[in-house]
């Protein structure tokens, strides 16, 4: 089962009332795909309804950072804006910060 198939999976922390949605980053799924799924889940929208992630970040560079020697360092955080959300990615998790009153 894909780690983002539904919002009820145990490893996901869905705190839509507080405007934060956090999921564990699964090493088997490309980070760009995981980010799109995390944002779509947080905003309760379909992944294909989102703008292309590549308009904000280079997916290959993101994977290189997370999976390379730098990604194994403690404290690595990559933050960027996507779909009116702030996305913070570490080698272990993705956190999506959004305004729950506007859905984004």
């Amino acid at each position: 089962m894909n780690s983002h198939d539904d919002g009820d999976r145990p490893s996901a922390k869905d705190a839509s009332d507080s405007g934060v949605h956090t999921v564990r980053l699964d090493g088997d799924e490309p980070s760009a795909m995981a980010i799109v799924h995390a944002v779509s889940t947080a905003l309760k929208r379909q992944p294909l309804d989102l703008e292309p992630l590549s308009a904000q970040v280079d997916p290959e560079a993101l994977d290189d950072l997370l999976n390379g020697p730098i990604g194994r360092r403690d404290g690595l955080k990559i933050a960027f804006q996507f779909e009116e959300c702030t996305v913070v990615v570490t080698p272990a998790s993705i956190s999506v910060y959004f305004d729950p009153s506007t859905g984004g």
Side-chain angles (χ1 to χ4, degrees), residues 30-33 35-36 52-67 80:
S31 58
M33 188 177 296
I35 291 165
V36 169
L53 180 63
S54 60
Q56 299 301 318
V57 297
D58 179 337
E60 289 180 23
L62 187 62
D63 277 337
D64 289 346
L65 280 172
L66 293 170
N67 298 319
F80 56 92

Side-chain angles (χ1 to χ4, degrees), residues 79-100:
F80 56 92
Q81 295 296 122
F82 179 58
E83 288 289 334
E84 299 181 20
C85 299
T86 298
V87 179
V88 178
V89 184
T90 71
S93 68
I94 301 167
S95 295
V96 180
Y97 298 86
F98 60 100
D99 182 349

